[in-house]
């Protein structure tokens, strides 16, 4: 019975992943071909695509999406591999993962707003650069000129201004790469921690060390070729997401022209319903742009693979060790500087009365902005928490039962490959390509069910990440414990409930917290599925960038960042509290056990002595 329940959960998970995406693609393909009965368009044609490609800026939009998406992914992959090559055999790797984890759980919209505070022409870096340049100019003039100079504190450094709203999207590329790197690190470390892979890699590294290869050369020539095939699919998912992301280009990118995903969002939200035809055709083109990015990435992979084989055949024992080690240290230093600058700037803005440029400290403190935000965010906060708890808990239950069904009723290799592909289907298809079609389909099937629409839209994105987080720990579980329990007559349900769930309690809580973080950060699915009638913290934070004050936006960013952190704090401290509670009860049990064991050990000795005397 329990095995059948897990099999049903596997099919439910497959339906949750595939049906919304496929229905969304069909729903966006029909309007792209001119069929939209709501406005009287009842004939299929390609005139909409002709209108789209006749726009003067459409090719620049496509090029900008391709450049920022592919460039950020390549930069993140290179930086992640440099960090792993420099520290994968060091005890510092765990600390580095702790440094990068804030950006992993930080929502994209909050990260973009925080970088906007730091990198803007009036941000902390510009203020610091202005003051330093003014003081250096003052000291230089004081030493070589007799006049007493004035400190110029009004000139803005051009370097920080060039990273925002530039025509080629450098700020978008930087923000996307900063967000992608922790996820790539997490996926790579999860693959390297698998028992069989870890044993194989340890043997390879030992052989490489015995042959005189440096640690960095061993990583790039022995470790990376072994694990890259298993992390390729997550990297491609990151690439597709980067080419079709909306939040970061909307906040940090150029406006004329913007990326294609941002233009699609504006066209879909236009008051003129006929613009939805243009938006649908652009969504189909967005799929093509993401496909081109994937093909280019695979071509670059082939080229690097060919060059790597040639380098391997030469037998070089070193592989630009100093350069890669310096690159890894530089990336970690950049993250530390950005994290410190973001925390200081956002917190200072949230309590500042006023902060004139180029002062490094606000002029006075007040809680007025917190009072304003808390009074306005009661409903969005409740909506965010309810959606996150419901979506994350449901996704976790489906994922756990699905992973259990892999062991109780394993599928064939072909079916397993199809399931793996369907797992990444929502991540490999651009969100702007199927979310609008999904909304159109939901309006035809289920009307006036805003919560259900938003719930399904969140599930599509939360389930893959929860599965990726939970699958590593579940597949590393030692099945010998289950075999012992089964040999004692326990049913599969009893083994699952009494043996597996307690052993995987920590991993379950972490996967649940990750699902909360993913649900909290959803902007476009929430906005589209609810039609703007279900406000959340993320939608309010993005809306505040355009209309509210900077100090009120800083409060929104802090609240948006605290919510995922609370989930992970719960996931970290509940197991500790449980272990402490059990530890308080264990000593009494141990004392009783030791007393009874001592009594049992003394009794035979007395009998032996008595028997010896009698003899």
């Amino acid at each position: 019975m329990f095995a059948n329940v897990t099999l049903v959960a596997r099919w439910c998970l497959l339906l949750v992943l595939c049906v919304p995406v496929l229905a969304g693609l069909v729903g966006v393909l029909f309007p792209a071909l001119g069929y939209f009965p709501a406005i009287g368009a009842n004939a299929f044609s390609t005139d909409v695509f002709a209108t789209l490609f006749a726009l003067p800026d459409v090719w620049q939009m496509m090029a900008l999406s391709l450049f920022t998406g592919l460039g950020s992914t390549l930069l993140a992959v290179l930086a992640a591999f440099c960090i792993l090559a420099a520290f994968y055999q060091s005890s510092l790797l765990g600390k580095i993962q702790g440094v990068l984890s804030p950006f992993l759980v930080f929502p994209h919209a909050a990260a973009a707003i925080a970088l906007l505070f730091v990198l803007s022409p009036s941000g902390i870096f510009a203020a610091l650069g202005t003051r330093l340049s003014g003081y250096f100019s003052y000291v230089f003039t004081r030493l070589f000129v007799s006049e007493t100079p004035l400190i110029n504190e009004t000139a803005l450094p051009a370097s920080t201004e060039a990273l925002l709203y530039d025509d080629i999207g450098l700020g978008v590329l930087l923000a996307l790469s900063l967000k992608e790197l922790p996820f790539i690190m997490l996926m790579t470390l999860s693959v390297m921690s698998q028992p069989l892979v870890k044993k194989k890699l340890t043997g390879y590294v030992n052989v490489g060390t015995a042959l005189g290869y440096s640690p960095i050369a061993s990583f790039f020539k022995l470790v990376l070729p072994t694990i890259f095939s298993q992390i390729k699919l997550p990297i491609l998912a990151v690439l597709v997401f980067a080419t079709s992301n909306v939040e970061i280009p909307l906040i940090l990118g150029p406006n004329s022209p913007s990326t294609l995903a941002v233009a699609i969002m504006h066209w879909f939200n236009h008051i003129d319903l006929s613009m939805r035809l243009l938006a649908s055709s652009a969504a189909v083109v967005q799929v093509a742009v993401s496909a081109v990015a994937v093909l280019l990435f695979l071509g670059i992979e082939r080229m690097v693979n060919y060059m790597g084989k040639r380098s391997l055949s030469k037998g070089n024992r070193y592989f630009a060790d100093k350069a890669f080690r310096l690159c890894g240290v530089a990336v970690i230093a950049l993250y530390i500087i950005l994290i410190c600058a973001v925390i200081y700037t956002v917190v200072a803005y949230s309590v500042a009365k006023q902060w004139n440029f180029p002062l490094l400290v606000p002029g006075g403190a007040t809680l007025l902005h917190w009072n304003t935000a808390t009074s306005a965010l009661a409903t969005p906060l409740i909506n965010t928490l309810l959606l996150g708890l419901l979506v994350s808990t449901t996704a976790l239950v489906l994922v756990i039962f699905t992973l259990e069904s892999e062991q109780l009723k394993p599928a064939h290799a072909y079916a397993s490959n199809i399931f793996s592909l369907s797992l990444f289907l929502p991540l490999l298809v651009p969100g702007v390509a199927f979310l609008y079609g999904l909304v159109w389909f939901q309006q035809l099937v289920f009307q006036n069910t805003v919560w259900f629409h938003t719930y399904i839209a969140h599930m599509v994105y939360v389930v893959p990440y929860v599965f990726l987080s939970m699958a590593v720990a579940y597949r590393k579980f030692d099945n010998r414990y289950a075999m012992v329990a089964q040999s004692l007559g326990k049913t599969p349900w009893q083994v699952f409930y009494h043996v597996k769930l307690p052993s995987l309690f920590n991993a379950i809580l972490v996967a649940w917290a990750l699902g909360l973080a993913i649900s909290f950060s959803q902007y476009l699915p929430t906005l589209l599925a609810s039609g703007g009638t279900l406000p959340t913290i993320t939608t309010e934070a993005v809306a505040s960038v355009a209309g509210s004050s900077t100090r009120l936006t800083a409060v929104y960013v802090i609240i948006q960042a605290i919510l995922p952190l609370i989930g992970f704090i719960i996931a970290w401290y509940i197991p500790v509290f449980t272990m402490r509670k059990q530890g308080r009860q264990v000593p009494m049990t141990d004392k009783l056990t030791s007393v009874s064991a001592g009594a049992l050990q003394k009794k035979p000795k007395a009998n032996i002595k008595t028997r010896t005397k009698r003899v």
Side-chain angles (χ1 to χ4, degrees):
M1 179 64 184
F2 178 64
N4 294 330
V5 172
T6 58
L7 187 61
V8 171
R10 184 194 298 183
W11 281 104
C12 290
L13 186 69
L14 191 64
L15 292 176
V16 168
L17 293 174
C18 295
V19 171
V21 177
L22 297 179
L25 289 176
V26 173
V28 81
L29 184 61
F30 282 4
L33 295 176
Y35 182 79
F36 195 36
I39 60 174
N42 299 316
F44 291 95
S45 66
T46 58
D47 296 338
V48 182
F49 285 98
T51 305
L52 174 66
F53 288 112
L55 296 178
D57 297 334
V58 65
W59 292 102
Q60 297 180 18
M61 296 177 186
M62 296 165 58
L64 185 61
S65 300
L66 186 62
F67 171 73
T68 54
L70 184 60
S72 62
T73 304
L74 292 175
L75 185 61
V77 169
L78 179 61
F81 289 164
C82 288
I83 294 174
L84 290 171
F87 299 102
Y88 79 103
Q89 288 183 329
S90 172
S91 60
L92 296 175
L93 187 60
K95 298 179 181 179
I96 292 172
Q97 191 174 2
V99 171
L100 298 179
S101 58
F103 271 85
L104 179 63
V105 301
F106 211 44
H108 288 81
I113 297 171
L115 289 176
L116 180 65
F117 287 160
V118 171
L119 300 177
S120 64
S122 59
I124 188 67
F125 288 153
L128 185 61
T130 300
R131 294 189 70 87
L132 288 178
S133 63
Y135 285 126
F136 287 150
S137 176
Y138 174 80
V139 172
F140 180 81
T141 310
R142 185 72 178 271
L143 290 175
F144 296 99
V145 181
S146 58
E147 299 179 357
T148 301
L150 295 176
I151 299 178
N152 184 12
E153 295 182 342
T154 58
L156 297 178
S159 57
T160 58
E161 189 176 0
L163 291 175
L164 299 176
Y165 314 119
D166 58 305
D167 295 336
I168 60 176
L170 290 179
V172 178
L173 189 147
L174 176 63
L176 286 172
S177 59
L178 289 174
K179 279 293 299 173
E180 293 166 2
L181 189 147
F183 178 73
I184 296 174
M185 286 276 295
L186 176 64
M187 291 294 101
T188 307
L189 291 175
S190 64
V191 171
M192 294 175 66
S193 64
Q194 296 177 5
L196 296 178
V197 177
K198 185 176 181 180
K199 184 178 180 181
K200 184 187 295 186
L201 294 180
T202 302
Y204 288 169
V205 172
N206 292 336
V207 171
T209 304
L211 294 176
Y213 284 90
S214 66
I216 292 181
S218 298
F219 177 82
F220 281 105
K221 294 186 177 183
L222 301 176
V223 175
L224 186 58
T226 306
I227 64 174
F228 187 78
S229 60
Q230 300 186 48
I231 64 173
K232 183 189 296 185
L233 206 55
I235 292 176
L236 294 180
V238 167
L239 174 60
V240 172
F241 174 81
T243 56
S244 59
N245 182 255
V246 173
E247 297 98 319
I248 292 179
L250 181 65
I251 297 173
L252 299 177
N255 294 323
S256 56
S258 62
T259 60
L260 187 60
V262 175
I264 293 171
M265 187 193 70
H266 289 319
W267 292 336
F268 265 112
N269 294 331
H270 201 277
I271 192 173
D272 186 3
L273 293 180
S274 63
M275 295 296 293
R276 294 195 177 186
L277 300 176
L278 189 66
S280 299
S281 62
V284 176
V285 174
Q286 179 65 61
V287 177
V289 171
S290 300
V292 171
V294 170
L295 292 177
L296 289 175
F297 183 85
L298 295 178
I300 295 173
E301 179 206 349
R302 291 287 184 89
M303 187 184 306
V304 173
N305 189 18
Y306 174 75
M307 295 174 61
K309 288 182 178 179
R310 293 192 60 181
S311 176
L312 185 63
S313 62
K314 293 180 180 179
N316 296 328
R317 265 54 178 176
Y318 298 92
F319 197 78
D321 292 9
K322 293 183 178 180
F324 283 110
R325 188 174 290 108
L326 181 62
C327 177
V329 173
V331 172
I332 298 301
L334 175 63
Y335 266 92
I336 294 175
I337 293 172
L338 282 178
I339 290 174
C340 295
V342 163
I343 292 175
Y344 171 73
T345 304
V346 173
V347 173
Y349 262 122
S350 66
V351 297
K353 275 188 178 179
Q354 61 180 15
W355 197 349
N356 297 328
F357 183 85
L359 297 177
L360 301 179
V361 180
T366 181
L367 295 178
L368 174 63
H369 316 297
W370 281 95
N371 295 331
T372 304
T374 51
S375 61
L377 291 181
T379 301
L381 182 60
I382 294 174
N383 294 336
T384 302
L385 292 176
L386 289 178
L387 265 176
L389 292 173
L390 182 62
V391 170
S392 181
T393 304
T394 309
L396 183 62
V397 172
L398 287 177
V399 166
I400 291 176
F401 281 176
T402 301
L403 291 171
E404 181 66 15
S405 70
E406 291 182 356
Q407 300 180 3
L408 296 179
K409 288 189 175 183
H412 297 289
Y414 182 73
S416 179
N417 293 332
I418 293 178
F419 179 78
S420 300
L421 183 61
S422 65
L423 180 67
F424 282 91
L425 186 62
L427 304 181
L428 294 175
V429 178
V432 293
F434 72 88
L435 282 175
Y436 293 100
L438 178 61
V439 172
W440 179 73
F441 181 77
Q442 288 173 337
Q443 290 175 353
L444 293 177
V445 180
F446 301 105
Q447 295 181 356
N448 302 323
T449 55
V450 176
W451 273 90
F452 179 74
H453 294 170
T454 313
Y455 167 78
I456 293 297
H458 280 224
M459 283 287 290
V460 171
Y461 284 97
V462 170
V463 166
Y465 291 102
V466 173
F467 189 93
L468 291 175
S469 175
M470 194 64 212
V472 177
Y474 212 94
R475 291 166 180 170
K476 287 170 61 178
F477 178 76
D478 194 349
N479 284 323
R480 290 179 294 179
Y481 294 107
M483 295 172 63
V484 171
Q486 289 175 354
S487 66
L488 295 175
K490 300 299 181 182
T491 63
W493 164 252
Q494 291 174 331
V495 173
F496 172 77
Y497 184 75
H498 294 288
V499 177
K500 290 187 176 181
L501 290 186
S503 302
L504 299 171
F505 185 62
N506 295 357
I508 290 173
L509 288 178
V510 171
W512 176 78
L514 181 61
L516 282 179
I518 299 299
S519 178
F520 291 161
S521 64
Q522 296 303 313
Y523 170 70
L524 192 62
T526 305
L527 184 66
L528 296 180
S530 65
T533 60
L534 190 65
T536 60
I537 296 295
T538 301
T539 57
E540 295 300 309
V542 175
S544 68
V545 177
S548 300
S549 66
T550 304
R551 295 179 287 277
L552 190 59
T553 304
V555 177
Y556 289 165
V557 171
I558 293 176
I559 296 175
Q560 194 182 10
I562 287 176
L563 288 178
L565 187 60
I566 291 174
F568 279 96
I569 289 175
I570 294 174
W572 290 332
Y573 282 99
I574 283 183
V576 175
F577 177 76
T578 306
M579 291 179 65
R580 287 179 179 177
K581 187 176 180 181
Q582 292 176 355
R584 292 171 184 171
Q585 300 174 358
V586 168
M588 183 60 66
T589 306
D590 291 343
K591 288 179 181 180
L592 294 174
T593 305
S594 62
V595 170
S596 60
L600 292 174
Q601 289 176 359
K602 289 177 182 178
K603 214 167 185 179
K605 289 181 181 179
N607 293 335
I608 292 172
K609 289 180 181 179
T610 304
R611 290 175 183 175
T612 305
K613 289 180 180 179
R614 289 179 180 176
V615 173

